[in-house]
């Protein structure tokens, strides 16, 4: 019986920081991600891919913005759904190119349930889209009731809530597809945020952290492994200090203690370590944090090979760090 | 054992001719379509929904156009994929609202294979998006190598190929989901057109007729019924003449003969009748052409009730028209 890994890929992996996001750039980047996912498939894993959409949703939002109301604006939830179609298609085609036409791949439009009654869950938490001047920000506030805040001294941006997801609407379908041998692409951009209402679901303006969504989906699927891929090869301790060093295995107890002592920056490694710990708390076996290229080697830890990447494992597995 | 119906809904059903396509309009229209689909579910059908995307892909194309290159333009195939996410989410939420949270609904990003070697398959056949002046058309020709042609005396539009699909890439996944009891939303906008290449698939600029895609999907799934829903209650003979009359049952032989004698206009009923005949040729039991509201009644044909809608059935079933 194959084991299942949920791999969370950043939206930045498809449009890199120094890129504008042309179609050709995205295709080339999707191709390189497909190589890493293909390695996992060939090693016998069942794979679910969760992707971010930050740069993509920023782009489509900017296009609608430029259109100035013709065509009519779409809410953020629609734009997130659009990027699920766009990136879902791009990744599916890249995976077919990597693994051939016979590989069973399917992209599922996914909704993530959030709980509006939770504390803080609907406070503006995350900047999205373009930067604006103070005047533009004021008019966007008036016109769209957007929350506009200064960001990083580079101007004003729209801030939206980024609530923790509590359930994945399509988890059952994804589960059945994985069991049927499909590589499933799901929870794009963290999923379209919705709230439960007496009948059905209502869209909620916001963006969901894709690592949180990937953790929740991995937990709901009963996946053995959560792979949080990023731009760095391994988690580092004492980041930026002379004592900075990579760490290749962390027990959940050690990771939790480093997290609470501020070892992992809020905007980057912190959310990944938090998602990893939540996954292990709910019965997951290993969470890996590394680059796409090193993911398979991080999980295999071939005997005699140099350790690569970072694995976080339940406290009971390792009495001390290796 | 439940029977399966593939229902093809027009993109115009979500943004009507007299509407600009605001989000609220689309939600209201999705709600009314969900009522019709809900009736089928409650009557025990397994349902697959294929939707058009004409107005929606026109809108997103116009937004990118307005943005003038920032963000970078996306090819038509990406825009089609975007509308699959957008409309797939919209319909899924409307179906949950209609049928409750427990109904098993899933939207699948779908690719339709076309054969570039077929005659005519890559000739510009279908206008998409906005109208342009002759000067604008000339510059779009130069800049994007678009084929621009005058359309209906209202200006110039981009013309793209509209090849017949020969296979649905995700048919296996859709089949498995339907067998698992899911209502599947698939082949949005006819599917993202792709061609087979030695490794995988390559996107092909064009748009696929959603009725053709629905027929092919219905055939590949072995569905019993193809429902082609539209703005008119039934197929009419002698359209626009004093002898005009609705017809409620047509044998495939009669439909083929009316089709070849020019009874059905090329731009509207013709493609639907052609899709219906192809479906029956490949073993389908009934093709229905009617409004969403009358679809269930058309299929049920309750004894004693006035006949509604149009059913097209294999020649052997009815020696003559009822």
């Amino acid at each position: 019986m194959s084991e299942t890994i949920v791999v969370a890929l950043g939206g930045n992996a498809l449009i890199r920081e120094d890129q504008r996001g042309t179609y050709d750039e995205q295709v080339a980047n999707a191709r390189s991600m497909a190589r890493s996912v293909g390695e996992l498939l060939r090693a016998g894993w069942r794979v679910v891919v969760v992707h971010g959409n930050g740069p993509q949703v920023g782009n489509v939002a900017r296009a609608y913005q430029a259109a100035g109301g013709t065509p009519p604006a779409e809410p953020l939830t629609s734009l997130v759904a659009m990027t699920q179609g766009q990136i879902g298609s791009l990744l599916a085609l890249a995976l077919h190119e990597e693994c051939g036409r016979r590989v069973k791949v399917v992209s599922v439009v996914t909704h993530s349930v959030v709980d509006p009654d939770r504390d803080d869950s609907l406070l503006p938490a995350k900047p999205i889209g373009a930067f604006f001047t103070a005047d533009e920000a004021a008019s966007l506030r008036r016109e769209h009731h957007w929350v506009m805040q200064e960001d990083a001294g580079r101007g004003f941006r729209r801030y939206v809530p980024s609530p923790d997801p509590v359930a994945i609407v399509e988890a059952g379908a994804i589960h059945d597809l994985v069991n049927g041998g499909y590589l499933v692409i799901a929870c794009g951009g963290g999923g379209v945020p919705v709230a439960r209402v007496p009948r059905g679901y209502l869209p909620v303006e916001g963006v969901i952290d894709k690592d949180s969504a990937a953790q929740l989906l991995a937990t709901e699927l009963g996946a053995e492994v959560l792979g949080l891929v990023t731009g760095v090869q391994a988690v580092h301790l004492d980041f930026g200090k002379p004592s900075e060093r990579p760490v290749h295995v962390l027990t959940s107890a050690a990771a939790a203690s480093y997290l609470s002592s501020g070892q992992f920056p809020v905007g980057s490694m912190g959310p990944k370590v938090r998602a990893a710990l939540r996954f292990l708390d709910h019965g997951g076996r290993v969470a890996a944090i590394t680059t796409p290229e090193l993911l398979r080697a991080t999980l295999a830890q071939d005997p005699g090979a140099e350790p690569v990447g970072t694995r976080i494992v339940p406290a009971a597995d390792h009495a001390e760090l290796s």
Side-chain angles (χ1 to χ4, degrees), chain A residues 94-171:
Chain A
L95 285 159
H96 279 295
E97 183 180 67
E98 171 68 25
C99 306
R101 283 196 299 269
R102 278 164 187 273
V103 68
K104 293 163 80 175
V105 176
V106 63
S107 294
V108 169
V109 179
T110 315
H111 302 84
S112 295
V113 180
V114 302
D115 180 356
D117 293 334
R118 282 206 189 170
D119 282 357
D120 299 351
S121 72
L122 295 185
L123 293 180
K126 211 163 173 170
I128 59 160
F131 288 88
F132 298 94
T133 65
D135 282 353
E136 290 168 334
S139 97
L140 288 166
R141 256 188 223 113
R142 265 197 316 275
E143 204 179 323
H144 297 296
H145 307 288
W146 288 357
V147 175
M148 305 294 296
Q149 292 178 6
E150 202 153 17
D151 182 36
R154 293 164 59 197
F156 288 80
R157 291 177 88 187
R158 181 178 178 197
Y159 273 69
V160 296
S162 185
D164 272 335
V166 298
I168 306 295
V169 174
E170 286 79 7

Side-chain angles (χ1 to χ4, degrees), chain A residues 196-261:
Chain A
R196 292 189 182 111
V197 288
R199 271 195 91 76
Y201 305 95
L202 212 59
V204 172
E205 289 286 287
V207 293
I208 293 177
D209 176 61
K210 64 127 192 3
D211 293 324
S212 296
Q215 172 270 311
L216 181 60
L217 180 61
T219 298
E220 293 199 3
L221 295 178
E224 282 79 9
V225 178
L226 175 63
L228 301 162
V229 308
T230 174
V232 298
Q233 298 196 346
V235 175
H236 282 224
L237 294 174
D238 294 348
F239 188 78
K241 296 184 189 158
S243 55
E244 178 175 340
R245 61 200 183 278
V247 57
H248 297 295
V249 186
L250 272 175
T251 65
S252 53
S257 137
Y258 288 133
L259 184 68
S260 63
S261 69

Side-chain angles (χ1 to χ4, degrees), chain A residues 252-253 255-256 259 272-282 312:
Chain A
S252 53
L259 184 68
K272 286 192 205 306
V273 173
R274 192 167 293 113
L277 289 174
R278 236 185 250 172
F279 175 64
L280 299 178
D281 271 354
H282 289 86
I312 306 181

Side-chain angles (χ1 to χ4, degrees), chain A residues 23 51 83-96 107 185:
Chain A
Y23 180 71
H51 60 83
T83 65
Q84 289 190 351
Q86 173 203 11
I87 303 173
S89 170
L90 194 70
L91 288 177
L93 294 179
L95 285 159
H96 279 295
S107 294
I185 300 159

